Amino acid sequence: MDKINRRKFIKSAGLAGGALSLAGVAGAGYSAGADKDSFTGYGRTAYGEDQFFNRKPFLVDKPTYVQEGEPVRITSIEDIFKRNGELSRLMFSRNGDQPAWKPSDGLDALPGYLRAYYQANPGAFDEFIKAMQKGREQRTNWDKYRDKYFIADAWSNAHSSPIRGRSSFPAEPQGKPEESDFRGVNKKRLKLKSPRHGSELLKKICYSFGASLAGIAKVKKEWVYQGSLRGIGRVDYEVPSHWKYAVVIAVPHEWDSMYANPTYGTSYDAYSKLRFIAGKMEVFIKELGYSARPHVPPTSYDLVMPPLAIDAGMGEQGRNGILITPELGANTRLAAITTDMPLEPDKPIDIGVSKFCKKCRICAEECPGGAISFKDTPGEVIRGYRRWKIDQNKCFTVWNSVATSHARGCRVCLSVCPYSRKNNWIHNFAREADPRDPTGLLASGLLAMQKKFFTYPGGQEYLPPPDGNNRTFGEAPGWLRTEEWFDL
Amino acid sequence: MFNNSNILEPLFWIIMGGLYTVFIIGLAMWLKDMKVKMNWWKWSLTLLWFILLSITVAGGFTLIGENELRAGLLFMAVPGAVIIVAGVALGRFLLRNTNEEKDN
Amino acid sequence: MKKRIIDLVTVLAVASVIIAAAVVGKKIAKKNDLELIGSILKPGEEYEAVNNNKWLILHESGKVKDCIYSGEGRGYNGNVQVAAVTDTAGIIMSVHLLANKETPSFVSKIFRRNFTDRFKGLPASDLAGSEVIIDAVAGATITSNAIKEAIIVGYSAGEGLKHNHSFKINAGWPELLVLLLFILSVLISIKRLRAAGKYLQWISWGLSVIFLGFVLGQPLTLPRFITVFTGYLPDPRSELYVLILPVLAIGFILISGKNNYCMSVCPFGAMQEILGAVGNASEIRLKRFSLVKYIQWGITLLAVIIALIMNNPSIAEYSVFGAFFQLTGATVIFILLMLSIIMSLFFRRPWCRYLCPVEGVMTYFRTLRRAVINIFRQ
């Protein structure tokens, strides 16, 4: 009798145990998902632990971008910010003079080099006029949205404060690179054990300054801008011989605000962080006795960052033109320091991003400006490399359209990218398993789930009314929502 | 479960271990009482099924924790339906011989 | 004798209610073209009609600013009316959906996927000359193609060009599959083939689930019957089997009185049979079976009436087929689907028995056949 009762007890306990264990994994799963500490980066560790993905199995000799024909250096005027910078210098007088040019003067009144760009790129000028128009609408409509994005705007402005003006850090280079890059270099230099030691050390120091990812690349001349050089101005120049290697660093945006793009997020959080790290790296390398030149956001670059980072083995290029890394996905912001210190470059990696992007197209579907290509395969050869074309003009029009206090950016293509995910068990499974699957079936399956299960508002929805509904991709975190802290 | 606690987190997994032990012992008794003859591969199939069920539940709730309610529910519903169907099939398979005995 | 009269009365009553609903639906005013075109203009813009398909947007000075071309394409449930705004050089600047009867989730999917943006910057003449390929949105192919067709039709008609209506029917494996499934359904019902019939039945169910269900994803649904009833046929060039399916299903029931579609061809029915085999499902006998059946048919009739009055067949969609085979649909439908799946492990065909709208349609045609035959017998 007693024995039967005990048996009965164990049997029912077994059932209860099974059910409770399921509840347990449900709870463990929920907290793994909700855990804010499973976001990568943001100074959680100073020892490189954020670069947690083991790249060794995926190292390749040749980067995954495809060269076709002779590489051509990008002229600075081809970059929308350099181009807009030139235009704004013409449009807004600095010291009370008459503006040299206004949009109604038209294309023909522009200086030759600008006119040449717009003539070679039909539609770009109209798009610029449209962006100006949208910018005016953005400023008039800002009153309507000011309260809602009060904290987000303040937060962004706080992040941008170290970037504005002459006193920003690191200081802009002055004069020729042969002078400015060597200014303040320690005369005393110790003998480096080996270039490998140099690379190891610099990466460790990058991490200690707060970089999430760090890599070393050899400077290829085709990644260097042509037509203007910081410290000198508009000039055609050969790549200085002391720009031998680049230390490339990456940090993410704060994740919760990044998911709430375009209106709640900002670019400046990652920008200011990168400037701080790169500026300190400049000083550190100079203290070791070698030349150093930081290349930092938003526009203080002499090199194009994504291909350099691909060379440094940090990731691959995505359909959205952004560097996609295994740890941060597309939520990757880049800076670099060029130096003549003897270093050992990292090898590029192939984790299947370029294959995945062919199938995915989520960023193209979600882009509010339709600036990202829908083509099956990279459709155009741009400056000697086959890639998907990003319409930077359309992209910039969206900057001027979304409900922010000024053209502060959009970044929706960072948020929606399936690679931009947390460092937890479920996403790590995808991270580790997908690049090891040669058939691509897993990627297709995961992508199907991504598209069917997850909610994507769709490109137009991110725009303000009447075009859209000011949607954000993810929900804004409580700390960015004005209504939770202030009486409205 | 308790991400920022050094004490509760290990305790949680110790308790989970206990629950799994009780569950497996209890399951073995159930099967014995139902006159199911188990061997190593039948056990592995049964446990594999339970692990898959656990992973589906955990995965769904992970997505819910990431603020993706719809994705989480669908993640549980779609593979969940397959797993339930597979479970019924497995159950019938394991109980097949016992039913025949009864019929005879 | 009595049953005959009931049959006849039911058939006539349902038919007259449906026709009445359709008449009411048609009468509820359809917006005219001018109103629709006016809705896409910005306030203060003036326009001028050139012909039925082309309008000019004018500057205040009376100069032509942009052109609007409007045309219709054949969608899944009805014509899709689309306006394309081009600049004076014929470059498409924006595409607007003016009117449609498509399933709302498909339409929103098309917009969410930036589909209309894919036309921006293209010369309309290139599109009409079909020199450009525009990928349809996955899962909303027919509607995507209808939008493309509507732009081409609008531009060609507006410019007085001849639109090349190449009427080539591409019959491919989907059509063969549908024919094969119906042939199999006939073979299975032949009594002499009983032993082989069982194997054929399983082959048929397997083919149906995999290809008609998961690959093609378009089993018969209520909106399909409604569109056929209102005289709309989808473009036979793109999806011929979508037409063959209802014709064969109703044809079989009218000729032989047997519901071959539900028993053997329908992929969800087949799925339930497979699940039933897995779980060794049993037949259920409800006490008030006929009452439950009347509720099931009543809901179907109600859905048809509402859809006809609202003039939008897609409203009548409440089946779980889309949720099961394509993962689209509302949460309620997903709950219904989960219930149906779990129930069908233990009971045979719970969805068909108590919920499916198509079964109601089939029963109606069977009753119709019986009533007609009885009249001739008299």
Side-chain angles (χ1 to χ4, degrees):
Chain A
M1 189 68 193
D2 188 32
K3 206 183 171 190
I4 293 169
N5 274 342
R6 203 176 71 186
R7 205 175 170 79
K8 264 189 181 167
F9 172 74
I10 295 178
K11 273 167 79 175
S12 24
L15 276 187
L20 277 175
S21 77
L22 280 181
V25 291
Y30 181 85
S31 63
D35 185 12
K36 300 290 179 202
D37 282 347
S38 56
F39 284 137
T40 302
Y42 262 68
R44 206 147 285 129
T45 159
Y47 307 102
E49 302 288 312
D50 280 338
Q51 197 160 342
F52 58 83
F53 186 79
N54 181 13
R55 284 168 166 71
K56 248 193 200 136
F58 309 108
L59 295 179
V60 286
D61 291 321
K62 274 179 78 183
T64 51
Y65 49 67
V66 182
Q67 190 183 337
E68 266 187 45
E70 198 56 37
V72 183
R73 281 165 69 186
I74 178 172
T75 56
S76 62
I77 213 77
E78 283 175 272
D79 175 304
I80 183 142
F81 300 109
K82 302 264 164 78
R83 190 163 66 245
N84 285 357
E86 301 276 336
L87 284 173
S88 79
R89 222 160 293 154
L90 297 171
M91 285 162 65
F92 305 104
S93 63
R94 291 288 137 110
N95 33 23
D97 298 345
Q98 273 294 316
W101 180 82
K102 53 187 184 304
S104 55
D105 292 348
L107 204 50
D108 296 331
L110 278 174
Y113 61 96
L114 277 169
R115 197 170 59 229
Y117 171 82
Y118 286 118
Q119 277 163 352
N121 294 274
F125 187 73
D126 291 339
E127 196 67 35
F128 173 73
I129 300 296
K130 188 177 164 197
M132 298 281 293
Q133 168 63 27
K134 287 285 174 190
R136 276 192 293 277
E137 285 172 26
Q138 190 181 41
R139 279 190 294 280
T140 24
N141 288 336
W142 175 237
D143 267 348
K144 273 192 256 174
Y145 307 124
R146 185 196 300 274
D147 289 352
K148 189 174 178 196
Y149 305 120
F150 183 66
I151 297 181
D153 198 46
W155 188 67
S156 174
N157 287 343
H159 277 306
S160 71
S161 61
I163 298 170
R164 289 198 210 106
R166 298 243 161 110
S167 58
S168 59
F169 178 80
E172 278 293 277
Q174 300 294 325
K176 286 183 184 170
E178 286 74 16
E179 293 159 16
S180 68
D181 295 3
F182 289 90
R183 206 165 286 142
V185 168
N186 196 345
K187 296 262 159 51
K188 175 136 178 69
R189 194 194 268 185
L190 295 177
K191 189 177 173 297
L192 193 62
K193 281 189 174 165
S194 77
R196 166 170 290 183
H197 283 86
S199 291
E200 282 282 300
L201 174 68
L202 288 194
K203 280 198 261 181
K204 286 210 186 308
I205 301 297
C206 285
Y207 296 137
S208 82
F209 288 157
S212 301
L213 311 178
I216 313 281
K218 215 168 155 50
V219 173
K220 279 192 195 165
K221 85 169 195 312
E222 54 257 44
W223 308 149
V224 181
Y225 276 102
Q226 180 62 286
S228 97
L229 180 59
R230 286 182 304 146
I232 296 185
R234 291 180 37 73
V235 61
D236 283 341
Y237 65 102
E238 287 296 310
V239 178
S241 60
H242 67 277
W243 294 4
K244 286 200 178 102
Y245 299 99
V247 183
V248 191
I249 53 175
V251 299
H253 293 294
E254 193 286 315
W255 289 85
D256 272 336
S257 62
M258 189 275 302
Y259 285 133
N261 276 332
T263 45
Y264 285 95
T266 183
S267 297
Y268 294 117
D269 60 339
Y271 286 179
S272 55
K273 212 164 183 80
L274 282 171
R275 289 184 76 109
F276 223 58
I277 301 164
K280 289 192 217 171
M281 279 310 288
E282 177 196 4
V283 177
F284 181 79
I285 294 172
K286 282 182 173 173
E287 287 289 338
L288 296 185
Y290 299 96
S291 74
R293 182 183 181 90
H295 304 265
V296 291
T299 58
S300 303
Y301 296 108
D302 293 308
L303 285 96
V304 185
M305 289 292 117
L308 194 69
I310 294 169
D311 289 348
M314 294 165 88
E316 291 179 65
Q317 185 173 34
R319 180 183 283 272
N320 51 12
I322 291 169
L323 178 77
I324 291 173
T325 61
E327 291 91 352
L328 306 170
N331 186 11
T332 309
R333 289 302 188 162
L334 294 164
I337 305 97
T338 45
T339 178
D340 63 346
M341 181 167 164
L343 298 171
E344 188 186 73
D346 288 303
K347 276 191 167 181
I349 55 169
D350 180 0
I351 52 164
V353 173
S354 52
K355 280 187 217 94
F356 183 81
C357 285
K358 284 180 191 164
K359 299 181 205 162
C360 172
R361 293 179 223 214
I362 287 177
C363 58
E365 287 163 354
E366 293 298 302
C367 174
I372 300 171
S373 166
F374 277 101
K375 292 209 168 95
D376 288 340
T377 49
E380 267 135 312
V381 177
I382 300 168
R383 293 182 289 274
Y385 289 91
R386 182 162 277 280
R387 49 174 285 198
W388 280 291
K389 194 182 179 194
I390 310 300
D391 193 326
Q392 38 169 304
N393 299 296
K394 282 185 186 169
C395 175
F396 186 66
T397 306
V398 173
W399 292 39
N400 285 278
S401 309
V402 292
T404 46
S405 60
H406 56 279
R408 224 176 65 194
C410 160
R411 297 168 306 277
V412 164
C413 53
L414 277 62
S415 326
V416 298
C417 179
Y419 281 97
S420 308
R421 291 287 182 261
K422 278 184 170 177
N423 173 16
N424 63 27
W425 70 278
I426 196 166
H427 301 304
N428 279 343
F429 168 76
R431 258 184 203 110
E432 298 286 345
D434 168 47
R436 286 178 172 83
D437 168 28
T439 61
L441 288 175
L442 181 68
S444 301
L446 288 172
L447 181 60
M449 282 186 5
Q450 188 77 37
K451 288 194 172 180
K452 288 283 183 190
F453 292 0
F454 288 79
T455 328
Y456 288 100
Q460 303 292 310
E461 285 290 299
Y462 301 103
L463 297 170
D467 301 317
N469 288 308
N470 274 334
R471 280 282 295 267
T472 54
F473 169 59
E475 216 173 88
W479 55 270
L480 273 179
R481 276 193 261 172
T482 317
E483 64 272 20
E484 299 209 357
W485 310 95
F486 296 95
D487 290 331
L488 291 180
Chain B
M1 183 74 172
F2 305 97
N3 288 320
N4 289 317
S5 168
N6 300 335
I7 299 164
L8 291 177
E9 183 72 10
L11 212 60
F12 169 74
W13 286 109
I14 289 168
I15 291 170
M16 284 294 279
L19 288 175
Y20 284 129
T21 317
V22 171
F23 169 62
I24 290 169
I25 293 172
L27 184 68
M29 279 192 183
W30 274 102
L31 292 169
K32 207 175 172 189
D33 285 4
M34 291 163 100
K35 300 209 169 60
V36 180
K37 287 195 186 86
M38 294 297 277
N39 55 25
W40 66 270
W41 58 266
K42 283 183 183 169
W43 267 114
S44 351
L45 270 182
T46 312
L47 292 182
L48 179 73
W49 179 82
F50 187 73
I51 290 168
L52 284 177
L53 181 67
S54 303
I55 288 178
T56 309
V57 170
F61 275 89
T62 304
L63 292 178
I64 293 173
E66 288 180 8
N67 233 344
E68 297 277 5
L69 182 67
R70 188 187 133 84
L73 292 178
L74 281 173
F75 187 90
M76 284 192 280
V78 176
V82 176
I83 285 173
I84 288 173
V85 171
V88 170
L90 183 68
R92 273 195 70 206
F93 174 72
L94 291 179
L95 295 173
R96 191 177 49 169
N97 293 328
T98 61
N99 284 349
E100 272 170 17
E101 268 169 37
K102 261 183 222 161
D103 290 347
N104 295 342
Chain C
M1 179 66 195
K2 214 178 175 190
K3 187 141 199 288
R4 278 184 200 173
I5 296 168
I6 292 175
D7 275 353
L8 197 62
V9 170
T10 319
V11 165
L12 290 177
V14 171
S16 47
V17 166
I18 289 176
I19 290 168
V23 171
V24 171
K26 290 276 175 208
K27 267 199 173 174
I28 291 177
K30 190 183 153 195
K31 273 192 183 170
N32 64 34
D33 285 359
L34 284 183
E35 275 177 75
L36 291 170
I37 295 294
S39 68
I40 60 170
L41 292 172
K42 294 193 186 83
E45 275 180 342
E46 292 284 321
Y47 65 95
E48 186 184 294
V50 177
N51 53 36
N52 280 336
N53 298 82
K54 185 181 180 182
W55 286 263
L56 301 174
I57 305 180
L58 303 174
H59 267 306
E60 280 170 22
S61 56
K63 259 191 189 171
V64 177
K65 200 162 76 176
D66 299 316
C67 307
I68 302 176
Y69 297 96
S70 121
E72 289 189 337
R74 285 157 159 267
Y76 190 77
N77 290 332
N79 280 341
V80 173
Q81 201 181 351
V82 174
V85 181
T86 71
D87 62 10
T88 46
I91 307 284
I92 296 174
M93 299 199 301
S94 60
V95 171
H96 306 263
L97 201 52
L98 298 180
N100 74 86
K101 294 176 181 174
E102 307 298 275
T103 313
S105 69
F106 284 13
V107 175
S108 68
K109 187 186 264 172
I110 279 183
F111 276 99
R112 281 192 277 115
R113 298 288 175 259
N114 276 347
F115 179 72
T116 53
D117 280 1
R118 299 182 197 183
F119 296 97
K120 280 186 193 169
L122 289 172
S125 52
D126 282 10
L127 199 66
S130 55
E131 280 161 33
V132 244
I133 295 161
I134 301 226
D135 286 345
V137 173
T141 320
I142 297 182
T143 313
S144 310
N145 288 338
I147 292 175
K148 187 188 167 189
E149 192 198 353
I151 299 173
I152 296 172
V153 166
Y155 180 78
S156 310
E159 291 296 320
L161 303 170
K162 263 194 196 140
H163 173 41
N164 184 16
H165 274 290
S166 61
F167 202 81
K168 223 170 72 189
I169 292 175
N170 312 322
W173 67 266
E175 289 72 27
L176 287 176
L177 174 79
V178 169
L179 285 178
L180 175 69
L181 286 175
F182 273 100
I183 292 169
L184 279 175
S185 74
V186 174
L187 288 178
I188 290 156
S189 60
I190 296 174
K191 280 196 178 134
R192 250 182 285 165
L193 283 171
R194 223 194 295 170
K198 214 171 184 186
Y199 289 107
L200 287 180
Q201 179 71 84
W202 280 103
I203 292 170
S204 163
W205 280 335
L207 285 175
S208 171
V209 167
I210 296 169
F211 294 105
L212 199 53
F214 285 108
V215 178
L216 296 172
Q218 280 168 350
L220 270 185
T221 54
L222 200 47
R224 180 80 299 137
F225 286 111
I226 299 173
T227 51
V228 172
F229 171 72
T230 52
Y232 174 75
L233 299 175
D235 193 342
R237 277 170 298 171
S238 54
E239 312 270 330
L240 184 61
Y241 76 97
V242 170
L243 267 178
I244 296 180
L245 214 49
V247 170
L248 281 180
I250 296 174
F252 265 85
I253 218 161
L254 286 180
I255 293 165
S256 71
K258 280 182 186 152
N259 189 350
N260 286 35
Y261 176 77
C262 289
M263 289 316 295
S264 182
V265 178
C266 172
F268 197 70
M271 195 64 226
Q272 289 175 89
E273 290 285 358
I274 292 170
L275 289 173
V278 169
N280 197 15
S282 54
E283 298 282 345
I284 13 164
R285 302 251 171 268
L286 282 187
K287 267 187 193 163
R288 293 172 183 269
F289 185 68
S290 57
L291 177 68
V292 179
K293 278 318 259 192
Y294 283 127
I295 292 174
Q296 178 188 359
W297 295 332
I299 293 173
T300 307
L301 183 60
L302 194 67
V304 172
I305 290 169
I306 292 173
L308 285 172
I309 289 177
M310 306 292 280
N311 219 342
N312 188 347
S314 60
I315 293 174
E317 176 64 300
Y318 66 93
S319 70
V320 296
F321 309 143
F324 187 78
F325 294 112
Q326 297 192 311
L327 278 180
T328 49
T331 319
V332 189
I333 299 292
F334 273 101
I335 293 168
L336 263 183
L337 172 65
M338 283 306 283
L339 276 177
S340 308
I341 289 178
I342 292 169
M343 292 276 284
S344 57
L345 285 167
F346 306 105
F347 309 107
R348 284 195 68 200
R349 292 186 175 242
W351 168 261
C352 306
R353 299 267 156 97
Y354 306 115
L355 291 163
C356 185
V358 175
E359 201 269 353
V361 178
M362 294 302 187
T363 309
Y364 177 76
F365 281 107
R366 185 187 278 157
T367 320
L368 176 72
R369 175 179 184 271
R370 206 164 56 206
V372 171
I373 288 176
N374 283 338
I375 288 172
F376 281 104
R377 266 195 198 147
Q378 270 184 331

